[in-house]
PDB file of all heavy atoms in Angstrom:
ATOM      1  N   GLY A  36     154.244  70.628 113.209  1.00 53.00           N
ATOM      2  CA  GLY A  36     154.385  71.151 111.862  1.00 53.00           C
ATOM      3  C   GLY A  36     155.143  72.463 111.785  1.00 53.00           C
ATOM      4  O   GLY A  36     155.021  73.314 112.649  1.00 53.00           O
ATOM      5  N   ARG A  37     155.927  72.645 110.727  1.00 53.00           N
ATOM      6  CA  ARG A  37     156.645  73.914 110.557  1.00 53.00           C
ATOM      7  C   ARG A  37     155.689  75.007 110.118  1.00 53.00           C
ATOM      8  O   ARG A  37     155.843  76.162 110.433  1.00 53.00           O
ATOM      9  CB  ARG A  37     157.757  73.759 109.517  1.00 53.00           C
ATOM     10  CG  ARG A  37     158.858  72.815 109.894  1.00 53.00           C
ATOM     11  CD  ARG A  37     159.926  72.747 108.817  1.00 53.00           C
ATOM     12  NE  ARG A  37     159.329  72.526 107.502  1.00 53.00           N
ATOM     13  CZ  ARG A  37     159.176  73.456 106.578  1.00 53.00           C
ATOM     14  NH1 ARG A  37     159.597  74.674 106.789  1.00 53.00           N
ATOM     15  NH2 ARG A  37     158.619  73.164 105.434  1.00 53.00           N
ATOM     16  N   HIS A  38     154.707  74.623 109.318  1.00 51.00           N
ATOM     17  CA  HIS A  38     153.752  75.582 108.768  1.00 51.00           C
ATOM     18  C   HIS A  38     152.334  75.103 109.065  1.00 51.00           C
ATOM     19  O   HIS A  38     152.095  73.904 109.136  1.00 51.00           O
ATOM     20  CB  HIS A  38     153.931  75.707 107.243  1.00 51.00           C
ATOM     21  CG  HIS A  38     155.270  76.222 106.832  1.00 51.00           C
ATOM     22  ND1 HIS A  38     155.610  77.554 106.900  1.00 51.00           N
ATOM     23  CD2 HIS A  38     156.360  75.590 106.345  1.00 51.00           C
ATOM     24  CE1 HIS A  38     156.857  77.713 106.465  1.00 51.00           C
ATOM     25  NE2 HIS A  38     157.327  76.540 106.132  1.00 51.00           N
ATOM     26  N   PRO A  39     151.386  76.012 109.222  1.00 51.00           N
ATOM     27  CA  PRO A  39     150.003  75.608 109.482  1.00 51.00           C
ATOM     28  C   PRO A  39     149.432  74.696 108.395  1.00 51.00           C
ATOM     29  O   PRO A  39     148.551  73.889 108.669  1.00 51.00           O
ATOM     30  CB  PRO A  39     149.248  76.951 109.523  1.00 51.00           C
ATOM     31  CG  PRO A  39     150.286  77.949 109.894  1.00 51.00           C
ATOM     32  CD  PRO A  39     151.557  77.462 109.251  1.00 51.00           C
ATOM     33  N   GLN A  40     149.943  74.814 107.155  1.00 52.00           N
ATOM     34  CA  GLN A  40     149.420  74.015 106.055  1.00 52.00           C
ATOM     35  C   GLN A  40     150.204  72.715 105.828  1.00 52.00           C
ATOM     36  O   GLN A  40     149.912  71.985 104.899  1.00 52.00           O
ATOM     37  CB  GLN A  40     149.425  74.841 104.764  1.00 52.00           C
ATOM     38  CG  GLN A  40     148.384  75.953 104.746  1.00 52.00           C
ATOM     39  CD  GLN A  40     148.391  76.693 103.420  1.00 52.00           C
ATOM     40  OE1 GLN A  40     149.375  77.318 103.047  1.00 52.00           O
ATOM     41  NE2 GLN A  40     147.293  76.624 102.704  1.00 52.00           N
ATOM     42  N   SER A  41     151.168  72.420 106.680  1.00 61.00           N
ATOM     43  CA  SER A  41     151.926  71.183 106.527  1.00 61.00           C
ATOM     44  C   SER A  41     150.996  69.979 106.596  1.00 61.00           C
ATOM     45  O   SER A  41     150.092  69.925 107.433  1.00 61.00           O
ATOM     46  CB  SER A  41     152.991  71.049 107.623  1.00 61.00           C
ATOM     47  OG  SER A  41     154.000  72.010 107.471  1.00 61.00           O
ATOM     48  N   ILE A  42     151.222  68.997 105.711  1.00 64.00           N
ATOM     49  CA  ILE A  42     150.461  67.750 105.744  1.00 64.00           C
ATOM     50  C   ILE A  42     151.234  66.771 106.620  1.00 64.00           C
ATOM     51  O   ILE A  42     152.294  66.277 106.233  1.00 64.00           O
ATOM     52  CB  ILE A  42     150.244  67.174 104.335  1.00 64.00           C
ATOM     53  CG1 ILE A  42     149.441  68.158 103.490  1.00 64.00           C
ATOM     54  CG2 ILE A  42     149.525  65.832 104.423  1.00 64.00           C
ATOM     55  CD1 ILE A  42     149.233  67.724 102.059  1.00 64.00           C
ATOM     56  N   VAL A  43     150.700  66.508 107.795  1.00 67.00           N
ATOM     57  CA  VAL A  43     151.412  65.675 108.764  1.00 67.00           C
ATOM     58  C   VAL A  43     150.933  64.233 108.608  1.00 67.00           C
ATOM     59  O   VAL A  43     150.172  63.704 109.427  1.00 67.00           O
ATOM     60  CB  VAL A  43     151.196  66.194 110.197  1.00 67.00           C
ATOM     61  CG1 VAL A  43     152.066  65.429 111.177  1.00 67.00           C
ATOM     62  CG2 VAL A  43     151.521  67.678 110.277  1.00 67.00           C
ATOM     63  N   HIS A  44     151.347  63.610 107.530  1.00 71.00           N
ATOM     64  CA  HIS A  44     151.035  62.214 107.235  1.00 71.00           C
ATOM     65  C   HIS A  44     152.093  61.749 106.245  1.00 71.00           C
ATOM     66  O   HIS A  44     152.313  62.407 105.224  1.00 71.00           O
ATOM     67  CB  HIS A  44     149.629  62.089 106.630  1.00 71.00           C
ATOM     68  CG  HIS A  44     149.181  60.678 106.383  1.00 71.00           C
ATOM     69  ND1 HIS A  44     147.966  60.197 106.843  1.00 71.00           N
ATOM     70  CD2 HIS A  44     149.775  59.642 105.737  1.00 71.00           C
ATOM     71  CE1 HIS A  44     147.833  58.932 106.481  1.00 71.00           C
ATOM     72  NE2 HIS A  44     148.925  58.585 105.798  1.00 71.00           N
ATOM     73  N   ALA A  45     152.760  60.649 106.557  1.00 80.00           N
ATOM     74  CA  ALA A  45     153.925  60.212 105.782  1.00 80.00           C
ATOM     75  C   ALA A  45     153.626  60.090 104.291  1.00 80.00           C
ATOM     76  O   ALA A  45     152.750  59.328 103.887  1.00 80.00           O
ATOM     77  CB  ALA A  45     154.431  58.882 106.326  1.00 80.00           C
ATOM     78  N   HIS A  46     154.366  60.851 103.483  1.00 87.00           N
ATOM     79  CA  HIS A  46     154.244  60.763 102.032  1.00 87.00           C
ATOM     80  C   HIS A  46     155.616  61.054 101.406  1.00 87.00           C
ATOM     81  O   HIS A  46     156.262  62.031 101.743  1.00 87.00           O
ATOM     82  CB  HIS A  46     153.171  61.707 101.485  1.00 87.00           C
ATOM     83  CG  HIS A  46     153.362  63.145 101.820  1.00 87.00           C
ATOM     84  ND1 HIS A  46     153.178  63.663 103.089  1.00 87.00           N
ATOM     85  CD2 HIS A  46     153.734  64.203 101.041  1.00 87.00           C
ATOM     86  CE1 HIS A  46     153.413  64.969 103.082  1.00 87.00           C
ATOM     87  NE2 HIS A  46     153.768  65.325 101.845  1.00 87.00           N
ATOM     88  N   LEU A  47     156.006  60.191 100.526  1.00 93.00           N
ATOM     89  CA  LEU A  47     157.317  60.258  99.877  1.00 93.00           C
ATOM     90  C   LEU A  47     157.130  60.640  98.417  1.00 93.00           C
ATOM     91  O   LEU A  47     156.297  60.066  97.718  1.00 93.00           O
ATOM     92  CB  LEU A  47     157.997  58.889  99.992  1.00 93.00           C
ATOM     93  CG  LEU A  47     159.434  58.732  99.518  1.00 93.00           C
ATOM     94  CD1 LEU A  47     160.385  59.438 100.479  1.00 93.00           C
ATOM     95  CD2 LEU A  47     159.792  57.244  99.452  1.00 93.00           C
ATOM     96  N   HIS A  48     157.895  61.627  97.965  1.00 95.00           N
ATOM     97  CA  HIS A  48     157.837  62.080  96.577  1.00 95.00           C
ATOM     98  C   HIS A  48     158.800  61.232  95.736  1.00 95.00           C
ATOM     99  O   HIS A  48     159.989  61.161  96.048  1.00 95.00           O
ATOM    100  CB  HIS A  48     158.273  63.539  96.449  1.00 95.00           C
ATOM    101  CG  HIS A  48     157.560  64.492  97.357  1.00 95.00           C
ATOM    102  ND1 HIS A  48     156.896  65.604  96.890  1.00 95.00           N
ATOM    103  CD2 HIS A  48     157.418  64.528  98.716  1.00 95.00           C
ATOM    104  CE1 HIS A  48     156.376  66.282  97.910  1.00 95.00           C
ATOM    105  NE2 HIS A  48     156.688  65.637  99.036  1.00 95.00           N
ATOM    106  N   LEU A  49     158.306  60.618  94.673  1.00 98.00           N
ATOM    107  CA  LEU A  49     159.156  59.916  93.699  1.00 98.00           C
ATOM    108  C   LEU A  49     158.965  60.616  92.357  1.00 98.00           C
ATOM    109  O   LEU A  49     157.851  60.679  91.848  1.00 98.00           O
ATOM    110  CB  LEU A  49     158.792  58.437  93.612  1.00 98.00           C
ATOM    111  CG  LEU A  49     159.743  57.534  92.807  1.00 98.00           C
ATOM    112  CD1 LEU A  49     159.606  56.071  93.254  1.00 98.00           C
ATOM    113  CD2 LEU A  49     159.543  57.632  91.303  1.00 98.00           C
ATOM    114  N   ILE A  50     160.061  61.137  91.800  1.00 98.00           N
ATOM    115  CA  ILE A  50     159.955  62.009  90.630  1.00 98.00           C
ATOM    116  C   ILE A  50     161.009  61.654  89.583  1.00 98.00           C
ATOM    117  O   ILE A  50     162.207  61.622  89.896  1.00 98.00           O
ATOM    118  CB  ILE A  50     160.151  63.490  91.023  1.00 98.00           C
ATOM    119  CG1 ILE A  50     159.457  63.796  92.353  1.00 98.00           C
ATOM    120  CG2 ILE A  50     159.651  64.414  89.920  1.00 98.00           C
ATOM    121  CD1 ILE A  50     159.948  65.048  93.033  1.00 98.00           C
ATOM    122  N   PRO A  51     160.605  61.429  88.332  1.00 98.00           N
ATOM    123  CA  PRO A  51     161.576  61.229  87.262  1.00 98.00           C
ATOM    124  C   PRO A  51     162.149  62.570  86.805  1.00 98.00           C
ATOM    125  O   PRO A  51     161.800  63.105  85.754  1.00 98.00           O
ATOM    126  CB  PRO A  51     160.758  60.545  86.156  1.00 98.00           C
ATOM    127  CG  PRO A  51     159.368  61.081  86.361  1.00 98.00           C
ATOM    128  CD  PRO A  51     159.220  61.285  87.845  1.00 98.00           C
ATOM    129  N   PHE A  52     163.008  63.121  87.643  1.00 98.00           N
ATOM    130  CA  PHE A  52     163.514  64.481  87.466  1.00 98.00           C
ATOM    131  C   PHE A  52     164.871  64.569  88.155  1.00 98.00           C
ATOM    132  O   PHE A  52     165.080  63.949  89.202  1.00 98.00           O
ATOM    133  CB  PHE A  52     162.541  65.479  88.104  1.00 98.00           C
ATOM    134  CG  PHE A  52     162.898  66.927  87.915  1.00 98.00           C
ATOM    135  CD1 PHE A  52     162.496  67.607  86.783  1.00 98.00           C
ATOM    136  CD2 PHE A  52     163.631  67.616  88.880  1.00 98.00           C
ATOM    137  CE1 PHE A  52     162.817  68.955  86.609  1.00 98.00           C
ATOM    138  CE2 PHE A  52     163.955  68.949  88.715  1.00 98.00           C
ATOM    139  CZ  PHE A  52     163.544  69.618  87.571  1.00 98.00           C
ATOM    140  N   ASN A  53     165.795  65.302  87.557  1.00 98.00           N
ATOM    141  CA  ASN A  53     167.110  65.517  88.165  1.00 98.00           C
ATOM    142  C   ASN A  53     167.348  67.009  88.339  1.00 98.00           C
ATOM    143  O   ASN A  53     167.217  67.791  87.385  1.00 98.00           O
ATOM    144  CB  ASN A  53     168.226  64.943  87.291  1.00 98.00           C
ATOM    145  CG  ASN A  53     168.221  63.424  87.200  1.00 98.00           C
ATOM    146  OD1 ASN A  53     169.037  62.861  86.480  1.00 98.00           O
ATOM    147  ND2 ASN A  53     167.319  62.755  87.886  1.00 98.00           N
ATOM    148  N   PHE A  54     167.705  67.414  89.550  1.00 98.00           N
ATOM    149  CA  PHE A  54     168.082  68.803  89.772  1.00 98.00           C
ATOM    150  C   PHE A  54     169.407  69.092  89.077  1.00 98.00           C
ATOM    151  O   PHE A  54     170.302  68.244  89.064  1.00 98.00           O
ATOM    152  CB  PHE A  54     168.259  69.070  91.271  1.00 98.00           C
ATOM    153  CG  PHE A  54     166.992  69.013  92.076  1.00 98.00           C
ATOM    154  CD1 PHE A  54     166.871  68.128  93.138  1.00 98.00           C
ATOM    155  CD2 PHE A  54     165.923  69.850  91.780  1.00 98.00           C
ATOM    156  CE1 PHE A  54     165.713  68.072  93.892  1.00 98.00           C
ATOM    157  CE2 PHE A  54     164.756  69.806  92.534  1.00 98.00           C
ATOM    158  CZ  PHE A  54     164.644  68.909  93.589  1.00 98.00           C
ATOM    159  N   ASN A  55     169.528  70.304  88.517  1.00 98.00           N
ATOM    160  CA  ASN A  55     170.846  70.701  88.053  1.00 98.00           C
ATOM    161  C   ASN A  55     171.719  71.017  89.268  1.00 98.00           C
ATOM    162  O   ASN A  55     171.240  71.049  90.401  1.00 98.00           O
ATOM    163  CB  ASN A  55     170.774  71.867  87.056  1.00 98.00           C
ATOM    164  CG  ASN A  55     170.226  73.154  87.670  1.00 98.00           C
ATOM    165  OD1 ASN A  55     170.497  73.469  88.839  1.00 98.00           O
ATOM    166  ND2 ASN A  55     169.463  73.913  86.900  1.00 98.00           N
ATOM    167  N   LYS A  56     172.994  71.242  89.039  1.00 98.00           N
ATOM    168  CA  LYS A  56     173.927  71.369  90.165  1.00 98.00           C
ATOM    169  C   LYS A  56     173.586  72.552  91.067  1.00 98.00           C
ATOM    170  O   LYS A  56     173.638  72.452  92.301  1.00 98.00           O
ATOM    171  CB  LYS A  56     175.371  71.500  89.639  1.00 98.00           C
ATOM    172  CG  LYS A  56     176.423  71.164  90.691  1.00 98.00           C
ATOM    173  CD  LYS A  56     176.266  69.711  91.157  1.00 98.00           C
ATOM    174  CE  LYS A  56     177.259  69.379  92.257  1.00 98.00           C
ATOM    175  NZ  LYS A  56     177.020  68.021  92.815  1.00 98.00           N
ATOM    176  N   ASP A  57     173.228  73.682  90.456  1.00 98.00           N
ATOM    177  CA  ASP A  57     172.918  74.870  91.262  1.00 98.00           C
ATOM    178  C   ASP A  57     171.695  74.644  92.143  1.00 98.00           C
ATOM    179  O   ASP A  57     171.684  75.025  93.322  1.00 98.00           O
ATOM    180  CB  ASP A  57     172.690  76.080  90.360  1.00 98.00           C
ATOM    181  CG  ASP A  57     173.981  76.593  89.736  1.00 98.00           C
ATOM    182  OD1 ASP A  57     175.064  76.247  90.251  1.00 98.00           O
ATOM    183  OD2 ASP A  57     173.903  77.323  88.734  1.00 98.00           O
ATOM    184  N   ILE A  58     170.657  74.046  91.571  1.00 98.00           N
ATOM    185  CA  ILE A  58     169.431  73.808  92.327  1.00 98.00           C
ATOM    186  C   ILE A  58     169.676  72.752  93.412  1.00 98.00           C
ATOM    187  O   ILE A  58     169.208  72.904  94.556  1.00 98.00           O
ATOM    188  CB  ILE A  58     168.283  73.364  91.397  1.00 98.00           C
ATOM    189  CG1 ILE A  58     167.919  74.482  90.415  1.00 98.00           C
ATOM    190  CG2 ILE A  58     167.065  72.946  92.210  1.00 98.00           C
ATOM    191  CD1 ILE A  58     167.323  75.713  91.058  1.00 98.00           C
ATOM    192  N   GLU A  59     170.434  71.725  93.082  1.00 98.00           N
ATOM    193  CA  GLU A  59     170.735  70.698  94.089  1.00 98.00           C
ATOM    194  C   GLU A  59     171.555  71.298  95.234  1.00 98.00           C
ATOM    195  O   GLU A  59     171.323  70.985  96.407  1.00 98.00           O
ATOM    196  CB  GLU A  59     171.477  69.512  93.466  1.00 98.00           C
ATOM    197  CG  GLU A  59     171.640  68.352  94.449  1.00 98.00           C
ATOM    198  CD  GLU A  59     172.302  67.148  93.822  1.00 98.00           C
ATOM    199  OE1 GLU A  59     173.444  67.298  93.321  1.00 98.00           O
ATOM    200  OE2 GLU A  59     171.704  66.063  93.824  1.00 98.00           O
ATOM    201  N   ASN A  60     172.492  72.171  94.895  1.00 98.00           N
ATOM    202  CA  ASN A  60     173.271  72.847  95.943  1.00 98.00           C
ATOM    203  C   ASN A  60     172.367  73.681  96.848  1.00 98.00           C
ATOM    204  O   ASN A  60     172.569  73.738  98.071  1.00 98.00           O
ATOM    205  CB  ASN A  60     174.349  73.738  95.322  1.00 98.00           C
ATOM    206  CG  ASN A  60     175.512  72.943  94.757  1.00 98.00           C
ATOM    207  OD1 ASN A  60     175.711  71.773  95.105  1.00 98.00           O
ATOM    208  ND2 ASN A  60     176.282  73.556  93.878  1.00 98.00           N
ATOM    209  N   GLU A  61     171.367  74.327  96.258  1.00 97.00           N
ATOM    210  CA  GLU A  61     170.411  75.112  97.041  1.00 97.00           C
ATOM    211  C   GLU A  61     169.619  74.209  97.987  1.00 97.00           C
ATOM    212  O   GLU A  61     169.381  74.565  99.151  1.00 97.00           O
ATOM    213  CB  GLU A  61     169.465  75.867  96.097  1.00 97.00           C
ATOM    214  CG  GLU A  61     168.549  76.837  96.802  1.00 97.00           C
ATOM    215  CD  GLU A  61     167.733  77.693  95.832  1.00 97.00           C
ATOM    216  OE1 GLU A  61     168.114  77.788  94.647  1.00 97.00           O
ATOM    217  OE2 GLU A  61     166.713  78.256  96.277  1.00 97.00           O
ATOM    218  N   LEU A  62     169.220  73.037  97.485  1.00 97.00           N
ATOM    219  CA  LEU A  62     168.513  72.068  98.321  1.00 97.00           C
ATOM    220  C   LEU A  62     169.368  71.649  99.520  1.00 97.00           C
ATOM    221  O   LEU A  62     168.904  71.646 100.662  1.00 97.00           O
ATOM    222  CB  LEU A  62     168.142  70.836  97.486  1.00 97.00           C
ATOM    223  CG  LEU A  62     167.422  69.707  98.230  1.00 97.00           C
ATOM    224  CD1 LEU A  62     165.973  70.077  98.500  1.00 97.00           C
ATOM    225  CD2 LEU A  62     167.488  68.409  97.423  1.00 97.00           C
ATOM    226  N   PHE A  63     170.633  71.321  99.248  1.00 98.00           N
ATOM    227  CA  PHE A  63     171.533  70.900 100.321  1.00 98.00           C
ATOM    228  C   PHE A  63     171.761  72.024 101.333  1.00 98.00           C
ATOM    229  O   PHE A  63     171.807  71.777 102.548  1.00 98.00           O
ATOM    230  CB  PHE A  63     172.874  70.436  99.733  1.00 98.00           C
ATOM    231  CG  PHE A  63     172.894  68.988  99.353  1.00 98.00           C
ATOM    232  CD1 PHE A  63     172.301  68.552  98.176  1.00 98.00           C
ATOM    233  CD2 PHE A  63     173.499  68.040 100.163  1.00 98.00           C
ATOM    234  CE1 PHE A  63     172.302  67.215  97.817  1.00 98.00           C
ATOM    235  CE2 PHE A  63     173.512  66.703  99.826  1.00 98.00           C
ATOM    236  CZ  PHE A  63     172.910  66.287  98.637  1.00 98.00           C
ATOM    237  N   GLU A  64     171.894  73.250 100.838  1.00 97.00           N
ATOM    238  CA  GLU A  64     172.156  74.376 101.729  1.00 97.00           C
ATOM    239  C   GLU A  64     170.942  74.691 102.604  1.00 97.00           C
ATOM    240  O   GLU A  64     171.076  74.884 103.816  1.00 97.00           O
ATOM    241  CB  GLU A  64     172.539  75.602 100.906  1.00 97.00           C
ATOM    242  CG  GLU A  64     172.887  76.821 101.754  1.00 97.00           C
ATOM    243  CD  GLU A  64     173.347  78.008 100.908  1.00 97.00           C
ATOM    244  OE1 GLU A  64     173.715  77.811  99.742  1.00 97.00           O
ATOM    245  OE2 GLU A  64     173.314  79.129 101.447  1.00 97.00           O
ATOM    246  N   GLU A  65     169.756  74.715 101.991  1.00 96.00           N
ATOM    247  CA  GLU A  65     168.540  75.048 102.738  1.00 96.00           C
ATOM    248  C   GLU A  65     168.223  73.986 103.794  1.00 96.00           C
ATOM    249  O   GLU A  65     167.799  74.309 104.907  1.00 96.00           O
ATOM    250  CB  GLU A  65     167.347  75.184 101.781  1.00 96.00           C
ATOM    251  CG  GLU A  65     167.387  76.411 100.899  1.00 96.00           C
ATOM    252  CD  GLU A  65     166.968  77.676 101.640  1.00 96.00           C
ATOM    253  OE1 GLU A  65     166.737  77.623 102.869  1.00 96.00           O
ATOM    254  OE2 GLU A  65     166.885  78.733 100.985  1.00 96.00           O
ATOM    255  N   LEU A  66     168.444  72.705 103.452  1.00 96.00           N
ATOM    256  CA  LEU A  66     168.028  71.625 104.346  1.00 96.00           C
ATOM    257  C   LEU A  66     169.180  71.045 105.163  1.00 96.00           C
ATOM    258  O   LEU A  66     168.959  70.151 105.989  1.00 96.00           O
ATOM    259  CB  LEU A  66     167.358  70.507 103.530  1.00 96.00           C
ATOM    260  CG  LEU A  66     166.132  70.930 102.718  1.00 96.00           C
ATOM    261  CD1 LEU A  66     165.514  69.715 102.042  1.00 96.00           C
ATOM    262  CD2 LEU A  66     165.104  71.646 103.587  1.00 96.00           C
TER     263      LEU A  66
END
C-alpha cells in the first residue's frame, strides 16, 4: 500500500461525472 489507510481489495469507481479539462489534465499529470 502507498498509504497506511489504503484499502487493498479490488474496487472500481463508476461515476456519472466528467472532469473538466483542467482537472483531467491534473489527473493525467499526477498519475
Side-chain angles (χ1 to χ4, degrees):
R37 295 181 310 104
H38 298 282
Q40 289 183 297
S41 292
I42 298 177
V43 187
H44 184 129
H46 57 288
L47 186 72
H48 307 235
L49 190 157
I50 320 161
F52 184 86
N53 292 177
F54 292 122
N55 64 37
K56 200 61 183 174
D57 288 342
I58 296 294
E59 187 177 58
N60 286 341
E61 187 173 342
L62 179 75
F63 273 78
E64 182 177 342
E65 289 282 5
L66 302 184

